[in-house]
Amino acid sequence: MILVEHQRLPTSGARAVLPYAIAGTRYLVIPQLSKDVENTPAHMNGGDSDTTAPIFKWSAGRFVEHGRLPLSGGEDIAYFQIGADQFLATAGVRSGHGPYDYNMDQTLFKWDGSRWEPHQTFPGFAAKQWHFFTIGSRAFLCLAQGVTLGHIEAKNPRTSRVFEWNGTKFVDFQSLDGQWGYNWESFQIDGHTFLGYADHVSDSLIFKWNGSRFAPLQSFAPKAGRCFRFFTIDGKHYVAFANIQGDSMLYRWDGEAFQPHQKLSGPSGRELCIVRTERQFYLVQVNFIEGEPSAPKTDLNSRIYRWEKDQLILVEEFATAGGTDAAVFQADGKQFLAVSNSLTPDVRFRTDTIIYSFNG
């Protein structure tokens, strides 16, 4: 087996897993969407979202809880560095336990040498994911956000946005048209910078940097986009695209655009993670739910593909419970995969995040 269970972490509505290291010590932080409320009907968009994000520290071959970040309705956390400074950007979709407030300040934390301290806040609306990248000496931070449900009013800026670092903080740079943003991916091909943006109700697009802004290059789906993942292998460039309501696909760059190369799966795809070992290339596809939010099927098999003869071949499946994210990390000379689960088969939030050893 490629995946062998190593450890379970008690989480509630876990939406992402972020491994990072400071001064040689490995950490894992997990944003949590919601907690179960006793004597209330089960619903994947219910519960108490006044949660926190636990931080675990690697010690003696396992993770132990080390602290918590304040984060309501946690969806995502991004770690990055600018020079010697280290940051965590937190994304929370909502606060409260019904009615919920989707207009929340999103916090950027900075490491002060001993703890994470708030550095900057951003007015957000139903925030989903942060993504950091650079173009030359310029640094950008992107926020995917928004929702188009009639009963939810946007008081803060509602569209997904790109910010640029001005030397002390991030300032507005560009707003996108997407109305329900989920995910980002940045990459370079032949010296050109591209930015992938996945959206639930608008086009999922890849943008190209034209020297002054990000201009739309190619649309991949008109709705239900969840994730882009770029990779280069054997000198050729590919992007995998996850769609929760349609086919998840692999595309190949032809010099001007990405052309369909291979179908990966049908509906339920949410997140994609690349794992490279000494011998092989793998793509992990995390599946979230099938069906409608009112009656979702959450106990699904997620997938591991291996690159063989210009194709991604399905080599293993593993059980997830409303799977939301996967991230690879190394510790003690071994490779591990962290997988966040968010919903039990009876649509409750209390389900474990699982750490696997990756034996590829």
Side-chain angles (χ1 to χ4, degrees), residues 168-284:
T168 58
K169 65 178 182 179
F170 286 96
V171 295
D172 280 302
F173 178 78
Q174 183 176 344
S175 293
L176 306 186
D177 293 333
Q179 299 292 302
W180 196 326
Y182 259 91
N183 207 299
W184 305 93
E185 174 76 325
S186 58
F187 54 93
Q188 288 195 336
I189 298 176
D190 299 331
H192 298 285
T193 298
F194 300 85
L195 180 64
Y197 167 72
D199 195 282
H200 183 58
V201 297
S202 308
D203 280 353
S204 290
L205 300 163
I206 284 183
F207 295 80
K208 184 178 181 180
W209 176 249
N210 65 13
S212 60
R213 63 187 287 108
F214 297 97
L217 174 71
Q218 182 177 352
S219 174
F220 287 75
K223 65 175 184 175
R226 283 299 182 271
C227 178
F228 286 100
R229 194 64 65 223
F230 171 82
F231 63 91
T232 299
I233 193 165
D234 298 332
K236 299 169 185 175
H237 308 295
Y238 300 86
V239 67
F241 174 66
N243 187 311
I244 199 167
Q245 295 176 356
D247 291 340
S248 291
M249 297 284 297
L250 179 67
Y251 296 82
R252 178 174 162 180
W253 180 249
D254 69 359
E256 296 184 359
F258 286 96
Q259 301 299 335
H261 182 74
Q262 177 189 354
K263 176 182 172 180
L264 298 177
S265 74
S268 75
R270 177 183 172 101
E271 187 61 53
L272 301 163
C273 174
I274 290 170
V275 182
R276 293 181 183 267
T277 69
E278 291 182 359
R279 298 171 294 173
Q280 304 287 354
F281 175 96
Y282 296 91
L283 181 72
V284 179

Side-chain angles (χ1 to χ4, degrees), residues 99-176:
Y100 303 100
D101 187 358
Y102 288 78
N103 295 276
M104 289 175 50
D105 281 347
Q106 310 299 316
T107 304
L108 175 67
F109 293 89
K110 182 179 178 181
W111 182 251
D112 71 359
S114 60
R115 59 183 296 171
W116 294 105
E117 290 288 350
H119 179 76
Q120 183 180 355
T121 59
F122 306 78
F125 175 63
K128 284 293 198 306
Q129 191 195 56
W130 285 107
H131 178 70
F132 174 84
F133 66 103
T134 59
I135 302 176
S137 61
R138 302 174 70 171
F140 296 92
L141 185 63
C142 307
L143 177 61
Q145 63 172 6
V147 69
T148 56
L149 299 177
H151 64 285
I152 301 174
E153 179 185 0
K155 299 176 182 177
N156 290 337
R158 63 155 298 110
T159 58
S160 296
R161 303 157 73 196
V162 180
F163 303 90
E164 184 176 9
W165 182 251
N166 70 0
T168 58
K169 65 178 182 179
F170 286 96
V171 295
D172 280 302
F173 178 78
Q174 183 176 344
S175 293
L176 306 186

Side-chain angles (χ1 to χ4, degrees), residues 83-102:
D85 294 327
Q86 297 170 297
F87 297 92
L88 285 178
T90 59
V93 67
R94 67 187 191 184
S95 62
H97 46 271
Y100 303 100
D101 187 358
Y102 288 78

Side-chain angles (χ1 to χ4, degrees), residues 5 7 261 288 296 299 307 317:
E5 186 175 315
Q7 183 183 4
H261 182 74
F288 181 44
D299 51 334
W307 188 259
E317 294 185 306

Side-chain angles (χ1 to χ4, degrees), residues 10-17 28-36 47-56 65-77 88 90-96 104 109 349-351 353:
T11 51
S12 182
R15 304 295 273 195
V17 280
L28 183 74
V29 59
I30 304 174
Q32 301 179 120
L33 171 68
S34 206
K35 300 177 290 187
D36 294 312
D48 180 356
S49 275
D50 292 335
T51 55
T52 58
I55 299 175
F56 298 89
E65 188 165 334
H66 180 69
R68 288 182 175 252
L69 281 177
L71 176 60
S72 295
E75 283 281 347
D76 184 59
I77 299 178
L88 285 178
T90 59
V93 67
R94 67 187 191 184
S95 62
M104 289 175 50
F109 293 89
F349 296 108
R350 202 4 237 126
T351 184
T353 290

